[in-house]
Amino acid sequence: MAGAPAIVDANRALQDRARAREDAAVRRPIVRFRGVKKAFGAMTVLEGIDLDLYPGEKVVVIGPSGSGKTTLARMLMTLETPSGGEIEVDGEPLFTMVRRGRRVPADERHLARVRGKIGMVFQHFNLFPHMTVLRNVTEALIHVRRIPPEEARRRTMAMLERVGMAEHADKYPAQLSGGQKQRVAIARALVMEPKVMLFDEPTSALDPELVGEVLAVIKEIAAKGDMAMLLITHEMQFAREIADRIVFIDGGKIVEQGPPEEVLLRPKSERLKAFLARFRNGMGLR
Amino acid sequence: MGDEWRWDVAWAAARKIAAVVPVTIAATVLGFVVAAAAGLAWTIARRSRSALVRGAVEAAMEFVRRTPLLVQLLFLYVAFPRLSVFAIGVIGLGLHYGAYLSEVYRAGIEAVDRGQWEAARALNFSRQKTWTRIILPQAIPPIVPMMGNYLIVLFKETPLLFAINVTEMMAVAKQFGSETFRYLEAFTVVGVFFFLMSYPASLVVRWLEARFGRAG
Amino acid sequence: MEAGILLLPGLLRGLRVTLEVFVLGAMLALGLSFAVGLLRLSRFPIVRTLAAAYVEFFRGTSLLIQLFWLYYALPFFGVELSALAAGVLGLGLNYGAYGSEVVRSAIRSVPKGQWEAAIALNLSPLVRFRRVILPQAWPLMLPPFGNLLIELLKGTSLVSMITLGDMTFQAMSLRTTYARYEVPLFLLLLVLYFLIATATSAIVRRLERRARVGRSA
């Protein structure tokens, strides 16, 4: 009896996702990785990644640590430069630009313009320790988006309200718990209204009892909003709930991808099976 | 004025300056020995059980560190007219850098685990034996690179001895300059001498630092 | 006591010059510390190498030699500096070299994640540095800057040897007039330096406290 509404919900969610995928197919991807490679010295981290992310799509990247999934997000945020291939954001190459009819490496202005469409939440929060919660969030609004301080403050408070941190606005990061810090970091990225949000293992550095509050916030953000999300995580149950598509990366390559039920419940490759087996116990995956 | 560099003059200056390199080196080495000993004495006195002694030593060290070596040398020079100027130079360098080395020793000693003191107490070592057999052998090796740094700093301060009439490299260069009116060569050559001696030494110290890590 | 009354006015005549050289030298050193410290973090190897060469050169030779060179040897190239200019330039170049190391290491010790967060928020390079990195590096710089400032003050006594009339210079000339009092004379001079150094370090401590405000643990 109690199960019935849940099944209806799940069915509706599946239909929604299917529709979202159909929509996506006719639209242009917001992010495009084409044969993207990355090597650090002699060590190859990624070898030829092709991946499209459509507007509003929620893609979860899973894979063993050291598989290169973090590097993928960091390149999109321009924190690393690819060794090969191309990344496009909103139809425009990220690391190159056209000057006098020739393709040249992107300058800071080009990077800044494209970067404005992307937000990122880090594993270790990276809040600015010398600024209050409020200033952490207003800083880029005022100094990048040039929004007047009063308006920036209003938007910040609304955003802090949304992540449940409004009453801590005047505290410094050192006074917050890990979960609270991460919620501020999410607000800080979100307030810039990016078209793509990157989450790089947002709960990996948290004490287990604090993971829930952060996942709840991310879920809430994912539910509304046409923002695309690229989320790297080891929280499989959460991945299943939130993802339109799950991408499994191992050894620097995309090994398998598809809807969560496919990837998580009916893995095809041996590598994915072995990887998921490690999460079977206690992860609520049946 | 305006004449260009003359190699023959530079060569003559170099020969004169080279002749007193041993004086500079002797002052450096002896000054450092005094500094190492004085620094250790300061350090141990700072750990005295008497608050009065501790306070007095701290104040004296602070005074030495906050006043110019040049003026300290001049003071010793007029206060102890019977001592040779070289001895005054060595004592002045030694006392001044002893105050700095004391900080280095302290860092080394504080880095020794508290348990070592307690173990020494438990084994009934005397206070003196605890220092010489247990604490210092552990405290000194990690601070060797930092002491090396101060050896170089001290070396570079030896030109100040010229102010109290010690005939070291700077004094000879100045004299050469005023005799020949070729200050350019004289002071360039003396600078090159100092650089050629201190730069390789600083590379050695950096290598030691990389190898044995920093203390403190 | 009598000696003090006799000698103090003479020494204080040099105080103005000492302070002048101290303040101007410190300003030049601070500017060079930041300029060179940042150049040492440049993306371009040639810039880094040149900046490093400057630092090694000034740290590898003695302040006294540098002062003598600027005052006595530079005229051979047709550049005649006043004693004050030579003193300020020598002190500034010398302590600027040490200070640049302070700036460099303080900036480098700001965690990498702070740079990355600033980039992710799309802050411009200037804003990144001024509002994110510098406020975190500055409190780390203050204590070593305080020590260098004391060293610079002590270094000012060397300008007496290039004929600049600072406190030490005045003491040297008073010594010939009041030979009886030469011991109290230099003792008094030491005390004067100690007082200026102590005041300087008190000011730096206050700056340190101010820089920490709001950063509760």
Side-chain angles (χ1 to χ4, degrees):
Chain A
M1 281 293 106
I7 288 170
V8 172
D9 272 1
N11 280 338
R12 188 173 304 149
L14 276 175
Q15 284 162 7
D16 286 352
R17 279 177 194 159
R19 202 175 310 128
R21 278 200 295 278
E22 279 159 24
D23 285 358
V26 295
R27 273 183 289 174
R28 184 178 67 172
I30 179 84
V31 174
R32 250 184 137 136
F33 289 86
R34 277 292 166 270
V36 171
K37 296 192 179 97
K38 178 67 187 177
F40 295 99
M43 196 179 68
T44 301
V45 183
L46 290 174
E47 34 190 300
I49 296 288
D50 293 310
L51 181 68
D52 289 344
L53 187 63
Y54 287 88
E57 198 188 15
K58 320 301 180 212
V59 170
V60 172
V61 180
I62 60 172
S65 41
S67 60
K69 52 194 193 307
T70 289
T71 307
L72 201 64
R74 289 172 58 81
M75 284 192 298
L76 186 50
M77 194 68 260
T78 70
L79 300 176
E80 313 277 1
T81 342
S83 331
E86 196 160 80
I87 302 176
E88 275 178 23
V89 175
D90 220 355
E92 166 171 46
L94 179 53
F95 288 100
T96 58
M97 58 185 212
V98 176
R99 184 187 283 151
R100 290 194 215 99
R102 287 179 46 199
R103 198 145 274 293
V104 294
D107 61 11
E108 181 62 32
R109 267 180 63 194
H110 176 89
L111 286 179
R113 194 164 47 74
V114 182
R115 208 153 44 200
K117 299 172 182 170
I118 302 165
M120 183 163 182
V121 172
F122 297 86
Q123 181 177 355
H124 295 284
F125 333 125
N126 297 352
L127 291 181
F128 303 133
H130 58 297
M131 299 180 188
T132 61
V133 165
L134 183 78
R135 268 200 53 206
N136 258 283
V137 184
T138 52
E139 191 70 7
L141 278 181
I142 295 174
H143 291 279
V144 179
R145 301 271 309 270
R146 310 265 166 216
I147 287 168
E150 260 320 297
E151 171 65 10
R153 197 189 142 84
R154 200 190 57 71
R155 290 192 199 181
T156 293
M157 288 314 290
M159 194 55 75
L160 288 175
E161 195 73 55
R162 204 168 148 199
V163 299
M165 289 298 295
E167 78 235 54
H168 302 290
D170 294 325
K171 288 190 181 164
Y172 283 89
Q175 296 166 288
L176 306 177
S177 74
Q180 292 174 323
K181 282 183 201 169
Q182 195 60 301
R183 285 189 275 151
V184 174
I186 292 170
R188 182 175 74 170
L190 208 56
V191 84
M192 297 293 284
E193 299 169 332
K195 294 189 174 177
V196 183
M197 268 283 267
L198 309 176
F199 293 85
D200 182 16
E201 304 201 22
T203 58
S204 296
L206 297 178
D207 293 334
E209 74 271 19
L210 302 176
V211 169
E213 60 185 76
V214 172
L215 294 184
V217 166
I218 299 175
K219 214 179 286 183
E220 188 267 345
I221 296 165
K224 30 183 138 150
D226 47 1
M227 192 173 58
M229 281 171 43
L230 188 71
L231 202 139
I232 297 160
T233 186
H234 290 290
E235 302 285 338
M236 292 303 156
Q237 183 59 40
F238 175 69
R240 187 181 170 186
E241 289 167 28
I242 197 178
D244 297 314
R245 178 159 49 119
I246 292 189
V247 174
F248 172 62
I249 294 190
D250 191 12
K253 282 182 186 143
I254 295 180
V255 177
E256 220 171 293
Q257 60 176 317
E261 292 75 20
E262 293 280 306
V263 172
L264 295 180
L265 300 181
R266 288 180 290 281
K268 294 184 197 72
S269 65
E270 287 310 312
R271 278 199 279 179
L272 179 53
K273 281 178 195 161
F275 175 73
L276 290 173
R278 277 185 261 156
F279 290 91
R280 278 285 136 73
N281 306 325
M283 292 308 289
L285 280 175
R286 279 165 294 271
Chain B
M1 292 295 129
D3 6 13
E4 66 281 15
W5 175 266
R6 280 175 51 190
W7 282 104
D8 58 326
V9 175
W11 185 243
R15 296 221 338 231
K16 290 215 162 173
I17 292 166
V20 291
V21 165
V23 177
T24 295
I25 294 201
T28 305
V29 171
L30 292 175
F32 191 73
V33 168
V34 174
L40 195 58
W42 293 111
T43 309
I44 291 172
R46 276 165 104 178
R47 300 178 68 97
S48 156
R49 252 162 279 179
S50 149
L52 194 71
V53 172
R54 280 204 307 270
V57 171
E58 289 287 346
M61 282 196 356
E62 202 63 30
F63 190 82
V64 170
R65 279 203 307 258
R66 287 184 180 176
T67 49
L69 175 59
L70 173 62
V71 182
Q72 289 168 9
L73 288 169
L74 293 170
F75 172 75
L76 291 172
Y77 178 77
V78 297
F80 300 99
R82 277 152 201 268
L83 285 176
S84 77
V85 287
F86 183 79
I88 285 171
V90 166
I91 293 168
L93 285 167
L95 289 180
H96 191 79
Y97 284 100
Y100 283 88
L101 283 184
S102 169
E103 288 295 314
V104 177
Y105 284 121
R106 186 169 71 161
I109 288 165
E110 280 173 2
V112 176
D113 188 70
R114 261 183 56 120
Q116 295 295 311
W117 290 94
E118 290 166 2
R121 169 73 53 89
L123 292 171
N124 208 17
F125 276 99
S126 71
R127 192 172 150 76
Q128 192 213 330
K129 287 264 186 253
T130 303
W131 275 107
T132 56
R133 318 264 349 148
I134 312 292
I135 304 304
L136 291 180
Q138 297 185 65
I140 305 283
I143 59 173
V144 165
M146 248 202 273
M147 294 187 68
N149 253 331
Y150 276 109
L151 175 63
I152 298 170
V153 173
L154 191 150
F155 166 68
K156 285 185 299 182
E157 293 283 271
T158 56
L160 293 185
L161 302 192
F162 149 62
I164 54 167
N165 304 328
V166 177
T167 314
E168 47 64 70
M169 302 197 306
M170 193 68 207
V172 171
K174 179 82 198 291
Q175 206 195 343
F176 182 91
S178 53
E179 278 168 13
T180 59
F181 295 105
R182 298 299 308 188
Y183 284 112
L184 171 62
E185 288 84 357
F187 290 140
T188 306
V189 166
V190 77
V192 168
F193 265 83
F194 269 91
F195 189 79
L196 287 183
M197 289 195 255
S198 74
Y199 186 62
S202 73
L203 293 182
V204 171
V205 167
R206 256 175 257 176
W207 177 78
L208 285 172
E209 266 174 1
R211 183 114 202 272
F212 299 108
R214 288 158 191 271
Chain C
M1 202 68 272
E2 182 205 4
I5 294 164
L6 213 57
L7 301 168
L8 196 56
L11 286 178
L12 289 181
R13 236 177 289 140
L15 177 67
R16 216 184 68 105
V17 176
T18 292
L19 290 179
E20 199 171 24
V21 175
F22 179 41
V23 170
L24 292 175
M27 278 163 46
L28 180 59
L30 187 70
L32 280 170
S33 297
F34 272 95
V36 178
L38 292 175
L39 289 180
R40 294 205 64 182
L41 297 167
S42 160
R43 266 183 299 161
F44 306 104
I46 177 74
V47 174
R48 286 201 304 269
T49 307
L50 285 174
Y54 156 75
V55 173
E56 295 298 350
F57 176 78
F58 279 94
R59 292 203 314 178
T61 52
S62 303
L63 175 60
L64 186 63
I65 301 176
Q66 290 156 17
L67 289 174
F68 272 41
W69 203 90
L70 287 173
Y71 190 63
Y72 292 108
L74 209 52
F76 283 82
F77 296 104
V79 181
E80 219 144 333
L81 294 178
S82 70
L84 179 69
V88 167
L89 193 61
L91 288 164
L93 286 169
N94 189 284
Y95 290 100
Y98 288 93
S100 72
E101 291 286 280
V102 171
V103 170
R104 178 173 76 125
S105 78
I107 288 175
R108 285 216 341 213
S109 64
V110 174
K112 219 175 129 229
Q114 294 294 310
W115 292 93
E116 296 186 345
I119 293 172
L121 287 175
N122 212 4
L123 301 175
S124 69
L126 193 68
V127 175
R128 251 177 250 164
F129 181 74
R130 218 169 47 90
R131 305 194 56 101
V132 176
I133 304 304
L134 189 57
Q136 296 184 65
W138 179 240
L140 303 175
M141 294 178 199
L142 276 172
F145 271 163
N147 291 338
L148 280 180
L149 217 47
I150 305 274
E151 295 299 319
L152 196 151
L153 168 69
K154 286 155 57 179
T156 62
S157 66
L158 269 57
V159 301
S160 64
M161 301 177 75
I162 54 168
T163 74
L164 204 54
D166 76 328
M167 294 200 301
T168 305
F169 185 90
Q170 300 296 345
M172 299 292 276
S173 51
L174 283 170
R175 187 184 152 226
T176 49
T177 326
Y178 303 99
R180 280 187 307 148
Y181 294 128
E182 54 184 10
V183 175
L185 169 67
F186 283 105
L187 200 57
L188 189 60
L189 181 59
L190 284 171
V191 169
L192 286 175
Y193 277 108
F194 178 74
L195 291 177
I196 303 173
T198 302
T200 305
S201 113
I203 292 170
V204 176
R205 288 252 172 82
R206 265 184 72 165
L207 288 176
E208 283 174 40
R209 271 201 301 278
R210 268 229 322 251
R212 274 200 304 267
V213 161
R215 232 161 301 204
S216 37

